[in-house]
Amino acid sequence: VHLVESGGGLVQAGGSLKLSCASSVSISGIYAMGWYRQAPGKQRELVAGITRGGSTNYADSVLGRFTISRDNAKNTLYLQMNSLKPEDTAVYYCVADSIFRVRTWGQGTQVTVSS
């Protein structure tokens, strides 16, 4: 599996961005996918995840502002980010877990939120 993120950029606080993660293979059979982020000087943290069955989970810090979704027909994972805050500034990574629990990471996309 090869994952390529896109959609990052610079946005003002309160704005929105939509991240995309394109997979080189069909995602319909991937056990789970998600988004992590890493801010400078901080540990990488889970932002949101979605299972093959469509169940989702979110970090408390983004609940109600971010929405994760997947389009199996396009082999793409999305993260809609609304009401962005400066503390959302980070490199965002897409991940995919196979049914054998093998994890693949994307290269990351930078999101910068200015105050």
Side-chain angles (χ1 to χ4, degrees), residues 3-5 11 20 26 30 35 50 55 60 74 89 98 111:
L3 304 172
V4 179
E5 301 98 332
V11 64
S20 299
S26 172
I30 294 178
W35 292 94
I50 185 168
S55 298
D60 289 344
K74 295 183 178 181
T89 295
S98 74
V111 171

Side-chain angles (χ1 to χ4, degrees), residues 9-11 37-40 42 45 65-66 81 84-92 109-115:
L10 174 64
V11 64
R37 68 185 180 187
Q38 187 166 22
K42 295 187 176 181
E45 63 174 355
R65 300 187 297 121
F66 291 10
M81 306 185 295
L84 282 161
K85 304 175 181 180
E87 51 263 43
D88 294 318
T89 295
V91 178
Y92 284 70
T109 185
Q110 176 71 46
V111 171
T112 302
V113 184
S114 63
S115 57

Side-chain angles (χ1 to χ4, degrees), residues 1 9 11-12 16 19 21 32-33 40 51 56 63 77 91 98 112:
V1 179
V11 64
Q12 288 189 333
S16 298
L19 305 183
C21 172
M33 300 186 74
T51 67
T56 59
L63 196 61
L77 178 74
V91 178
S98 74
T112 302

Side-chain angles (χ1 to χ4, degrees), residues 21-112:
C21 172
S23 170
S24 62
V25 301
S26 172
I27 67 170
S28 61
I30 294 178
Y31 177 74
M33 300 186 74
W35 292 94
Y36 279 73
R37 68 185 180 187
Q38 187 166 22
K42 295 187 176 181
Q43 289 188 332
R44 194 170 295 188
E45 63 174 355
L46 176 68
V47 176
I50 185 168
T51 67
R52 183 170 53 185
S55 298
T56 59
N57 64 288
Y58 297 90
D60 289 344
S61 59
V62 307
L63 196 61
R65 300 187 297 121
F66 291 10
T67 303
I68 189 171
S69 62
R70 58 195 289 172
D71 187 332
N72 290 347
K74 295 183 178 181
N75 295 324
T76 302
L77 178 74
Y78 301 100
L79 185 68
Q80 177 67 49
M81 306 185 295
N82 298 328
S83 302
L84 282 161
K85 304 175 181 180
E87 51 263 43
D88 294 318
T89 295
V91 178
Y92 284 70
Y93 298 90
C94 172
V95 298
D97 293 340
S98 74
I99 59 174
F100 303 107
R101 305 300 192 267
V102 174
R103 172 160 288 185
T104 300
W105 292 84
Q107 85 288 351
T109 185
Q110 176 71 46
V111 171
T112 302

